């Protein structure tokens, strides 16, 4: 089992650019979560999916953020346009029909 | 709303000594509680969970946690700390909405454990 796979591991971009983060959940997991980690705000849930359908996106900061899950093995989190305050580590996690969640190693995003 | 609190930003302990990382919770209904560990530049790794049953839960790497309903606590413990246990530890609770449990976890702010050799 390869675990949750996220790419890229690091992303550095300039303000105003579009950023796309990618996630491959563990095979057979029905739930997929996107979390953001910062020193100031800790771990925040942005959005989660069940069977590829978004269930709760109340944590998405604003319209600049969007997430999709076109199939059971792939999800993207897009930020357009990016801003310096979006700099954080973004984690993807997946689970079966109940916790625990299994996390990827994250994407460290730096927006300059 | 469901929440967990980790009152200590950092815990320092000498190698070989017992360690405790504190967590208190606030939930409606029966709590589903979890502990995770995060090493530098890595994702969170699941350690253990409490759903029901025995108040003492055993998990990975020799860790255990004690569920105390009267004190609404779920403290993480280990009898003998190792330098390699130094990491960031998160307590989490399963969210409940509209009377039913969701799969969403709400995390505490984390406690940095530093084990000195």
């Amino acid at each position: 089992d390869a675990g949750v796979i996220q790419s890229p591991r690091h992303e550095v971009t300039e303000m105003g650019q579009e950023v796309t983060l990618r996630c491959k959940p563990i095979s057979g997991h029905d739930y997929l979560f996107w979390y953001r980690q910062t020193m100031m705000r800790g771990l925040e849930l942005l959005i989660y999916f069940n069977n590829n359908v978004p269930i709760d996106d109340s944590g998405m900061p604003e319209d600049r953020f969007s997430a999709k899950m076109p199939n059971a093995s792939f999800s993207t989190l897009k930020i357009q346009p990016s801003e310096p305050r979006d700099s954080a580590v973004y984690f993807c996690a997946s689970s079966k029909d109940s916790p625990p969640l299994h996390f990827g190693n994250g994407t460290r995003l730096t927006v300059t | 709303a469901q929440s967990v609190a980790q009152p200590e930003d950092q815990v320092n302990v000498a190698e070989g000594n017992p360690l405790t990382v504190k967590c208190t919770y606030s939930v409606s209904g029966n709590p589903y509680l979890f502990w995770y560990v995060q090493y530098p530049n890595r994702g969170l790794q699941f350690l253990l969970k409490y759903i029901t049953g025995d108040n003492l839960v055993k998990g990975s790497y020799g860790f255990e946690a004690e569920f105390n309903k009267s004190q609404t606590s779920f403290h993480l413990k280990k009898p003998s700390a190792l330098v390699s246990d130094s990491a960031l530890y998160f307590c989490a609770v399963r969210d409940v909405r509209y009377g039913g449990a969701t799969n969403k976890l709400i995390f505490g702010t984390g406690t940095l454990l530093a084990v000195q050799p």
Side-chain angles (χ1 to χ4, degrees):
Chain A
D1 185 353
V4 176
I5 299 173
Q6 292 187 246
S7 64
R9 286 299 310 275
H10 303 275
E11 177 78 46
V12 180
T13 190
E14 293 183 348
M15 183 173 63
Q17 297 298 306
E18 178 179 295
V19 174
T20 299
L21 312 182
R22 297 172 176 79
C23 174
K24 176 179 170 55
I26 294 172
S27 178
H29 281 193
D30 299 325
Y31 286 82
L32 184 139
F33 305 80
W34 283 100
Y35 280 86
R36 178 171 69 176
Q37 185 178 34
T38 61
M39 289 292 292
M40 292 298 295
R41 301 173 68 91
L43 270 166
E44 304 172 273
L45 177 66
L46 301 177
I47 185 171
Y48 78 96
F49 296 82
N50 178 214
N51 291 325
N52 314 336
V53 176
I55 302 301
D56 183 352
D57 65 354
S58 59
M60 296 287 262
E62 47 198 275
D63 293 345
R64 298 185 297 107
F65 285 69
S66 62
K68 294 182 179 179
M69 192 166 185
N71 57 62
S73 59
F74 184 65
S75 177
T76 59
L77 178 67
K78 185 176 294 185
I79 308 173
Q80 165 64 18
S82 58
E83 297 183 1
R85 60 189 168 124
D86 301 330
S87 298
V89 181
Y90 291 81
F91 288 104
C92 177
S94 69
S95 76
K96 293 183 179 178
D97 56 1
S98 62
L101 279 57
H102 299 264
F103 283 77
N105 284 326
T107 295
R108 183 175 296 277
L109 174 65
T110 303
V111 183
T112 60
Chain B
Q2 278 40 248
S3 66
V4 290
Q6 295 181 244
E8 302 156 316
D9 290 336
Q10 182 163 338
V11 170
N12 298 307
V13 63
E15 187 174 32
N17 283 0
L19 69 88
T20 298
V21 182
K22 295 179 180 178
C23 173
T24 59
Y25 64 88
S26 174
V27 302
S28 54
N30 295 320
Y32 287 27
L33 297 160
F34 303 81
W35 275 103
Y36 281 80
V37 60
Q38 185 180 27
Y39 297 99
N41 300 315
R42 301 295 298 274
L44 279 69
Q45 296 178 32
F46 168 69
L47 281 178
L48 51 79
K49 67 180 178 182
Y50 173 84
I51 296 178
T52 187
D54 195 350
N55 289 344
L56 186 63
V57 180
K58 295 190 182 295
S60 306
Y61 312 121
F63 284 93
E64 57 191 26
E66 186 171 9
F67 172 70
N68 188 316
K69 188 172 184 177
S70 62
Q71 297 186 6
T72 62
S73 67
F74 188 56
H75 300 332
L76 182 70
K77 301 182 179 185
K78 188 173 182 181
S80 178
L82 300 172
V83 173
S84 57
D85 293 330
S86 299
L88 190 57
Y89 290 81
F90 289 93
C91 182
V93 65
R94 188 175 184 180
D95 195 20
V96 175
R97 294 289 174 94
Y98 313 116
T102 73
N103 267 20
K104 173 181 170 180
L105 291 187
I106 298 170
F107 287 87
T109 51
T111 298
L112 183 64
L113 174 66
V115 181
Q116 283 86 37

